[in-house]
Amino acid sequence: MHILGRLLPDNQFVAHGLTRFYGIGEVTAHRICARYLIHDRCKIGKLTPVQVTALTAFLSAPSNIPDAPWQPVAHPLFCPPPITEPIGLARRFKKPFAKKEAGEKSTNPLQNLRIESDLKREIRENIAHQRMIGSYVGRRHAMGLPVRGQSTRRNSKTAKKLNRVERRG
Amino acid sequence: MFSVLATSSFRPSPSLSLLSNRVGKEQVRNAVKKAGVNRQVVASNTKQMQKGFRMKKKVEPTAKENHDGVHYMRPMPENRLKVDILKQHQTVLDLPIFRPEEMTDMALGKVHAFTPTTNTIMKSFGVPRNVVVDFRLLSKPSSVIRDVTLRVIDKLDEVVASTSKVTKMVFTGPPGNGKSYLMLQAIEYAQSVGYIVLYVPRASKLVDSSTMYTYDPRTRTYVQPKYSHLLLQRLSSVNDSSLRTLKLSKDVLAEDGSVRLSVGSSLYDLADLGLRDPTLAPTVLSNLFAELAQQSTIPVLLAIDDIQSLYNHTTLYKNPMYENIKPYHLSVPRLLLEYASNKKSFSRGMVIGAISGSNTNWPVPPELQESLGLTPPRPVSVYEKRYPEIEQYASGLENFPVPEQLTLDEAAAVYDLWRKDNALHTQSTDELFLSKYTEACGNPRRFVWEGLFRTMTT
């Protein structure tokens, strides 16, 4: 099945298949599945069209998706109303991921999620900023050497391979 | 000019495999016409020969990739047993069939095969994992009649005799002592005397995030539509005739107030409503339970294996806030917990549960241990948190301890059953029997699996 232009195998679990996207690891994938009520053993081929649409909409713009709706749960003594009675609005609206101050980012991890090209751009911008201000970190990226104080006497092969100002990701 | 017999006059063209790597198109077309084979197959073969190593070969998924991840323990199929030495050992066990009238002290220590009706029930509802492995090895699903079997049968008879007796008990004991088998024996007896049987063989499947779930704002729970539909299917197929005789006590209404089913329709019609529309399955299932609870014509047996998984304070399901969902916030576990506790009861029926020690992901929680009066495996601190909601659901349960050991007669019957089914890899002697019985301390599973199956030489 294709989600956001990427082919995900139908027989994989959804929580694992979502990790194919750059920027989504196991924890974030499970959070996304929980957000859309996809159980752990659900396979990608078994997703309903509604779920696929919701996942695609989320992954294309995670910051634009509103927070999860509050779903009040029944205490043990709760008796459900008859089916003919319309369901009223919840009297108390709970905002679990309430913004602390105006302008501050939401604490919902999925709200701040960046994937694919947005994430790569952010990484490139961070490195470019370090270079622009002339910091040690920026210089080390430019030289293609380890940034975080590792020894270069023997091992630094990964840094020499990957570190640069225009880092691919 | 071509005729029907034209092919006989042609010189047989060489097969494609004898041709050189460079194959002409004319030769290909002739080969296809002559052989009359699937053009696409021939074409792809020739193309591969023409292109050779340059052509990307179609990679078919291997058997390992096709595997669905579930390892089925099956014995070798009969058509592969071609060697004589294997053929000689094929036996058909001639075991007495379970009969309710024979369930007296005379039947103690004797092996009985399950009836075809019970086999159908077990195929519909399923059985626990350890039992399904045994049944795949045995030529006929069977069990030994123990003293506890007769006591459970007595309790079932008491419920049949009275019109308002309700019993809720949980089989307890160490792992491998025969709780699941005892439950199957209870189901067999119950269906033979006319109970409506509802069996949930693996309750842990309800709480381990393996089935679809959606939020229902009316009941304020997370309903499990696929499992509800499956349970309705099994329930209606097994108890078909009983459900058709029972009638609805009140109208079943739709959301707009119209009557879907009127008073006087059978309960089978109600179940059928949920089967035809899977989105209605959770509501229909709870309505069906309510109808079965209020009627006292036919007693109802609700059997739940692995019941301790429903009493753990969280499940593996998560809500959109990424918080663990509690078992009583899921529709089917909530329904089972309510009918197993003091909150709701069948007017005439029995609820039996069995604790399973096989799955260590779902231990017996302290609330259930205290309710059943069980000794905890390690000292419990006074600061250990207890959940009042779980305590409420665990109240009203009666402990029914299943003996840890088989008696010698019962063990001898089990030994004889597996011996006749050619499970032993060595000579059958009294010393083998007694030594394995002693090593297993009489525990049925250890006696069979670690004693008899793992013995290569005496």
Side-chain angles (χ1 to χ4, degrees):
Chain A
M1 177 175 294
H2 286 268
I3 293 180
L4 212 64
R6 193 167 288 229
L7 177 63
L8 302 179
D10 278 353
N11 62 346
Q12 267 189 0
F13 292 129
V14 178
H16 179 74
L18 286 177
T19 58
R20 295 284 182 106
F21 292 97
Y22 184 83
I24 297 180
E26 203 178 313
V27 172
T28 316
H30 277 98
R31 277 197 175 259
I32 295 169
C33 288
R35 172 68 180 82
Y36 292 105
L37 296 180
I38 298 168
H39 58 280
D40 291 348
R41 300 273 128 194
C42 184
K43 299 222 169 160
I44 288 169
K46 300 284 183 197
L47 284 171
T48 60
V50 171
Q51 284 172 325
V52 174
T53 313
L55 278 176
T56 310
F58 174 82
L59 292 171
S60 54
S63 53
N64 290 350
I65 302 296
D67 280 346
W70 178 52
Q71 292 172 344
V73 285
H75 58 82
L77 300 174
F78 176 77
C79 283
I83 202 163
T84 47
E85 198 177 296
I87 302 156
L89 292 169
R91 273 180 289 169
R92 180 169 62 88
F93 180 69
K94 183 179 167 185
K95 291 186 185 180
F97 295 116
K99 292 177 188 175
K100 289 176 187 170
E101 283 169 27
E104 218 179 84
K105 278 188 195 171
S106 168
T107 52
N108 180 3
L110 294 184
Q111 197 77 15
N112 306 325
L113 181 69
R114 289 192 187 206
I115 62 170
E116 295 291 333
S117 54
D118 291 336
L119 181 62
K120 289 177 188 172
R121 192 184 322 121
E122 188 185 344
I123 292 168
R124 275 203 308 273
E125 283 169 1
N126 291 342
I127 297 169
H129 167 73
Q130 295 284 355
R131 186 78 187 110
M132 191 186 69
I133 61 174
S135 68
Y136 175 79
V137 168
R139 280 205 303 277
R140 296 299 276 185
H141 268 111
M143 288 194 286
L145 289 172
V147 174
R148 294 179 178 177
Q150 296 99 317
S151 168
T152 52
R153 184 175 179 178
R154 296 264 183 250
N155 311 317
S156 52
K157 296 208 169 52
T158 310
K160 283 175 185 169
K161 187 165 68 172
L162 296 181
N163 280 3
R164 56 208 64 179
V165 177
E166 287 296 323
R167 193 182 155 122
R168 196 173 49 83
Chain B
M1 300 292 170
F2 285 96
S3 67
V4 175
L5 300 171
T7 50
S8 59
S9 62
F10 278 90
R11 187 166 59 85
S13 62
S15 66
L16 283 172
S17 58
L18 295 175
L19 291 170
S20 63
N21 278 342
R22 295 188 63 80
V23 180
K25 285 182 187 173
E26 276 297 321
Q27 283 169 301
V28 170
R29 268 191 231 123
N30 286 338
V32 168
K33 269 188 208 170
K34 169 83 175 162
V37 295
N38 186 345
R39 284 189 176 202
Q40 286 178 351
V41 169
V42 173
S44 67
N45 284 345
T46 3
K47 199 175 178 183
Q48 187 153 6
M49 287 174 67
Q50 281 174 329
K51 283 201 168 179
F53 67 90
R54 289 189 297 261
M55 181 166 172
K56 278 186 191 170
K57 290 182 184 103
K58 209 188 294 181
V59 178
E60 282 177 6
T62 59
K64 195 176 173 186
E65 285 164 13
N66 272 338
H67 200 256
D68 61 357
V70 181
H71 294 277
Y72 299 102
M73 280 175 263
R74 293 190 192 279
M76 204 183 279
E78 276 186 41
N79 55 4
R80 288 185 60 186
L81 295 174
K82 289 179 181 157
V83 183
D84 281 341
I85 194 165
L86 295 169
K87 280 185 185 172
Q88 282 166 14
H89 289 269
Q90 284 174 20
T91 54
V92 178
L93 285 181
D94 185 22
L95 292 169
I97 300 287
F98 184 98
R99 285 198 181 82
E101 57 271 14
E102 288 176 11
M103 291 299 113
T104 58
D105 290 341
M106 300 294 290
L108 273 178
K110 295 206 170 52
V111 171
H112 282 74
F114 289 109
T115 56
T117 320
T118 313
N119 285 341
T120 314
I121 293 176
M122 291 194 289
K123 278 187 186 151
S124 299
F125 284 116
V127 285
R129 189 197 156 277
N130 291 321
V131 175
V132 83
V133 165
D134 280 352
F135 286 175
R136 284 203 175 135
L137 295 176
L138 277 172
S139 46
K140 263 189 194 175
S142 38
S143 63
V144 69
I145 307 298
R146 299 167 73 180
D147 180 53
V148 280
T149 316
L150 299 181
R151 286 200 280 130
V152 168
I153 286 171
D154 289 340
K155 288 214 180 253
L156 287 166
D157 284 337
E158 280 171 22
V159 170
V160 170
S162 80
T163 51
S164 59
K165 177 90 177 172
V166 177
T167 312
K168 297 179 187 191
M169 56 190 191
V170 176
F171 299 153
T172 58
N177 69 341
K179 299 181 285 293
S180 300
Y181 270 92
L182 183 60
M183 188 170 276
L184 289 175
Q185 288 171 335
I187 287 166
E188 178 161 45
Y189 185 80
Q191 65 81 21
S192 64
V193 296
Y195 274 75
I196 289 176
V197 172
L198 292 131
Y199 180 36
V200 179
R202 304 179 196 196
S204 56
K205 290 287 167 199
L206 289 166
V207 293
D208 66 351
S209 189
S210 59
T211 178
M212 194 174 132
Y213 68 122
T214 53
Y215 180 70
D216 180 14
R218 187 181 70 84
T219 55
R220 296 191 189 177
T221 55
Y222 293 91
V223 296
Q224 293 164 303
K226 284 206 168 156
Y227 194 91
S228 306
H229 186 257
L230 190 67
L231 197 55
L232 265 181
Q233 214 169 32
R234 291 168 174 176
L235 188 57
S236 56
S237 70
V238 164
N239 303 294
D240 182 1
S241 49
S242 303
L243 289 178
R244 284 183 198 277
T245 57
L246 296 171
K247 304 291 177 199
L248 281 173
S249 62
K250 51 185 178 181
D251 292 337
V252 174
L253 302 173
E255 283 172 2
D256 55 1
S258 60
V259 175
R260 279 191 205 268
L261 285 174
S262 55
V263 171
S265 310
S266 71
L267 292 193
Y268 185 83
D269 294 334
L270 176 62
D272 194 49
L273 190 65
L275 292 176
R276 280 184 280 116
D277 189 356
T279 52
L280 293 178
T283 316
V284 166
L285 187 65
S286 59
N287 284 355
L288 189 63
F289 266 65
E291 291 287 340
L292 287 172
Q294 67 85 34
Q295 61 84 32
S296 56
T297 318
I298 303 178
V300 181
L301 173 67
L302 173 59
I304 308 166
D305 209 331
D306 218 356
I307 198 173
Q308 84 286 348
S309 56
L310 302 179
Y311 290 91
N312 279 259
H313 69 276
T314 53
T315 64
L316 291 181
Y317 285 98
K318 296 220 189 282
N319 66 8
M321 313 303 177
Y322 205 59
E323 294 158 352
N324 284 324
I325 296 175
K326 313 239 182 297
Y328 45 88
H329 293 151
L330 290 162
S331 63
V332 181
R334 188 185 176 100
L335 194 65
L336 297 176
L337 284 171
E338 282 175 347
Y339 282 93
S341 70
N342 286 334
K343 293 179 189 295
K344 289 184 184 174
S345 293
F346 295 109
S347 302
R348 194 171 166 218
M350 196 153 156
V351 178
I352 51 176
I355 281 171
S356 172
S358 303
N359 194 346
T360 50
N361 290 329
W362 305 105
V364 183
E367 295 86 358
L368 189 60
Q369 279 173 6
E370 280 162 16
S371 168
L372 297 173
L374 299 174
T375 315
R378 63 185 70 80
V380 176
S381 160
V382 292
Y383 299 107
E384 182 149 339
K385 185 168 181 180
R386 278 155 180 75
Y387 296 86
E389 296 90 357
I390 302 291
E391 279 178 343
Q392 282 178 35
Y393 282 114
S395 63
L397 292 171
E398 186 190 315
N399 184 8
F400 190 94
V402 179
E404 185 179 346
Q405 295 180 353
L406 291 169
T407 61
L408 262 179
D409 292 333
E410 291 160 4
V414 168
Y415 178 86
D416 208 37
L417 169 70
W418 286 105
R419 182 187 61 80
K420 282 180 189 166
D421 231 353
N422 302 309
L424 296 179
H425 306 291
T426 179
Q427 291 244 337
S428 166
T429 56
D430 287 341
E431 287 83 11
L432 173 70
F433 164 67
L434 279 174
S435 59
K436 295 306 157 193
Y437 176 75
T438 314
E439 283 165 21
C441 296
N443 184 284
R445 190 189 300 158
R446 282 212 302 270
F447 174 58
V448 173
W449 282 88
E450 294 175 22
L452 302 183
F453 288 174
R454 291 189 193 179
T455 301
M456 299 306 286
T457 54
T458 42

